């Protein structure tokens, strides 16, 4: 009998498909499975879209005053009511999202850039470089963050720009120490030693091998830091050290309305809810990113 050829023989089988995926794709898949994190992402996207299209979404100008409409309760004409100057609160909250997110993103971006440079230098070179940079971080961390921000704004002068600078400065040690600790771990890996052995320059090693392995914790901490920056911006605005009237900044709106909390509670309620939801969204998303990108959080 003729020998029957098995078409499924290993000799005739097609090569197995490469199922390996990058850590970033794997992290995204893990993130999508976390429903709470996805809810946080949707909240963040909602406020970002609201900030981007504020000119189209706001029913009124955020600075248009009409004293005859002072402290109108929420209605079909003014969904969130009006404030003590007759300004539409919904319009001011929509435009306030643009300012709060602007401060949050750019203050954290500044903190990440400065903290990244200092953390890389301290962790990679060590010795006296590490000692000097670490002592600077310790000095900044010795002060309560909000008090240090108040002191910086008091020196520079109250304005939204100076509030952004102050928030960026107080967050530098957090990112610097995070990156430094990560670099101390990464630089002991064998591939770093191999790169040094073949004569690769320090700059190339740092940017091609060390930095890419530090991105995951930076992304997670950056997301959480945006939430903190929004709260700090609102706190400075509440104290009169951030955005100045008639700028529609949420903290400053709360400060203007605190005297009318019993007479017109909606003037305090809606800006407070906007701050709460934005911070909640970034915190939920940050927790989800941490669970997805941190190998220690996986089974």
């Amino acid at each position: 009998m003729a020998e029957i050829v098995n078409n499924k023989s290993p000799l005739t089988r097609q090569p197995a498909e490469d199922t390996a995926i990058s850590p970033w794709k794997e992290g995204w898949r893990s993130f999508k499975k976390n429903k709470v994190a996805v809810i946080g992402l949707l909240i963040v996207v909602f406020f970002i879209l609201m900030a981007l299209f504020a000119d189209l979404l706001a029913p009124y100008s955020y600075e248009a005053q009409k004293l005859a409409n002072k402290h109108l309760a929420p209605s079909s004409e003014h969904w969130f009511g009006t404030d003590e100057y007759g300004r539409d609160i919904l319009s001011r909250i929509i435009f306030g999202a643009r300012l709060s997110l602007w401060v949050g993103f750019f203050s954290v971006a500044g903190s990440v850039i400065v903290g990244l440079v200092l953390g890389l230098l301290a962790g990679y070179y060590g010795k006296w470089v590490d000692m000097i940079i670490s002592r600077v971080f310790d000095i900044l961390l010795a002060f309560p963050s909000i008090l240090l921000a108040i002191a910086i704004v008091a020196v520079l002068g109250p304005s939204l720009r100076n509030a952004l600078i102050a928030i960026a400065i107080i967050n530098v040690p957090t990112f610097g120490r995070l990156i430094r600790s990560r670099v101390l771990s990464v630089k002991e890996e064998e591939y770093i030693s191999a790169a040094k052995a073949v004569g690769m320059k320090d700059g190339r090693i740092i940017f091609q091998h060390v930095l890419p392995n530090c991105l995951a914790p930076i992304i997670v901490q950056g997301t959480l830091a945006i939430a903190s920056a929004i709260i700090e911006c609102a706190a400075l605005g509440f104290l009169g050290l951030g955005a100045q009237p008639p700028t529609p900044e949420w903290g400053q709106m709360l400060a203007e309305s605190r005297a009318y909390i019993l007479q017109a509670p909606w003037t305090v309620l809606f800006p407070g809810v906007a701050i709460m939801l934005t911070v909640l969204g970034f915190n939920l998303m940050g927790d989800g990113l941490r669970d997805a990108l941190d190998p220690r959080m996986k089974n």
Side-chain angles (χ1 to χ4, degrees):
M1 294 180 63
E3 183 179 357
I4 299 176
V5 179
N6 185 2
N7 291 329
K8 296 183 179 181
S9 171
L11 296 177
T12 60
R13 191 177 300 165
Q14 295 295 327
E17 184 180 356
D18 186 10
T19 59
I21 59 176
S22 70
W24 297 106
K25 290 184 178 180
E26 183 181 357
W28 172 241
R29 290 181 181 179
S30 177
F31 180 86
K32 290 191 295 183
K33 295 178 182 179
N34 189 334
K35 295 182 179 180
V36 176
V38 172
I39 292 174
L41 176 62
L42 293 177
I43 294 174
V44 170
V45 170
F46 170 78
F47 278 98
I48 291 176
L49 293 176
M50 186 170 69
L52 291 175
F53 299 101
D55 297 307
L56 299 176
L57 296 175
Y60 303 93
S61 171
Y62 69 84
E63 57 185 357
Q65 300 183 16
K66 191 174 182 180
L67 295 179
N69 292 338
K70 175 182 178 180
H71 286 159
L72 292 180
S75 63
S76 59
E77 186 177 359
H78 299 280
W79 289 6
F80 288 1
T82 60
D83 62 8
E84 65 273 21
Y85 298 106
R87 296 172 299 193
D88 184 67
I89 294 178
L90 174 60
S91 300
R92 291 180 62 78
I93 288 178
I94 291 174
F95 279 97
R98 177 178 292 179
L99 292 178
S100 295
L101 292 176
W102 181 78
V103 171
F105 281 115
F106 282 94
S107 64
V108 170
S111 301
V112 169
I113 292 172
V114 177
L116 183 67
V117 173
L118 296 178
L120 286 172
L121 293 175
Y124 188 80
Y125 291 104
K127 299 181 181 179
W128 63 269
V129 177
D130 185 18
M131 182 185 67
I132 294 176
I133 295 176
S134 296
R135 296 297 79 76
V136 172
F137 290 162
D138 292 340
I139 292 173
L140 292 175
L141 290 171
F143 298 93
S145 59
I146 189 62
L147 293 181
L148 182 58
I150 292 173
I152 295 172
V153 175
V155 173
L156 299 177
S159 70
L160 188 64
R161 183 189 64 181
N162 293 337
L164 187 153
I165 295 173
I167 295 171
I169 291 174
I170 64 177
N171 285 318
V172 166
T174 301
F175 287 98
R177 296 184 70 176
L178 173 67
I179 296 166
R180 172 186 174 274
S181 63
R182 182 62 181 167
V183 172
L184 289 174
S185 174
V186 171
K187 76 174 186 179
E188 300 299 329
E189 298 290 340
E190 294 183 357
Y191 60 87
I192 300 296
S193 301
K196 292 180 179 179
V198 298
M200 188 177 293
K201 294 182 179 180
D202 290 343
R204 188 176 176 185
I205 294 175
I206 290 174
F207 288 104
Q208 290 190 2
H209 299 290
V210 177
L211 181 58
N213 288 282
C214 300
L215 291 180
I218 294 175
I219 293 173
V220 174
Q221 184 60 38
T223 305
L224 297 173
I226 292 175
S228 299
I230 292 173
I231 293 179
E232 290 157 357
C233 178
L236 292 174
F238 185 84
L239 296 173
L241 298 174
Q244 301 300 303
T247 305
E249 195 276 320
W250 292 339
Q252 191 260 339
M253 291 173 63
L254 289 175
E256 290 180 343
S257 304
R258 67 182 184 275
Y260 309 102
I261 189 170
L262 297 178
Q263 179 183 351
W266 56 87
T267 59
V268 177
L269 174 64
F270 292 114
V273 170
I275 296 172
M276 183 270 293
L277 286 177
T278 308
V279 173
L280 176 64
F282 278 104
N283 281 333
L284 293 179
M285 188 173 70
D287 289 341
L289 288 174
R290 180 198 60 199
D291 296 342
L293 298 178
D294 190 349
R296 294 172 297 180
M297 304 298 295
K298 301 177 182 179
N299 294 328

